[in-house]
Amino acid sequence: RRMALFAGQLGTDYASIYRIHCGPDCLYFAPSGVPVVVDNSHFTHEASRLFSGEIDHPLLRRTVN
């Protein structure tokens, strides 16, 4: 919450990985059964692939020329 407030004060966007990872329940294993967290605070490669599609921001979109 503090990071979101701080980002708002700066006039920048904020994406909460916590909300993506833990809304409504925290996900500790991907559908494939592979763990998504290493030490309760760092994501695995599988988690990055799983959660990256949940963040929508114009700067993260690829354009086709």
Side-chain angles (χ1 to χ4, degrees), residues 12-15 54-62:
T12 189
D13 296 328
Y14 175 74
E54 299 294 322
I55 301 172
D56 183 29
H57 192 278
L59 293 175
L60 299 175
R61 294 188 195 126
R62 288 187 178 192

Side-chain angles (χ1 to χ4, degrees), residues 5-63:
L5 178 63
F6 183 64
Q9 291 171 344
L10 294 175
T12 189
D13 296 328
Y14 175 74
S16 172
I17 297 299
Y18 178 77
R19 286 189 183 201
I20 294 169
H21 174 237
C22 290
D25 296 315
C26 290
L27 179 69
Y28 290 100
F29 295 93
S32 64
V34 175
V36 296
V37 289
V38 176
D39 56 8
N40 208 26
S41 36
H42 293 93
F43 290 127
T44 62
H45 178 60
E46 181 74 15
S48 297
R49 290 187 355 195
L50 184 65
F51 299 140
S52 65
E54 299 294 322
I55 301 172
D56 183 29
H57 192 278
L59 293 175
L60 299 175
R61 294 188 195 126
R62 288 187 178 192
T63 58

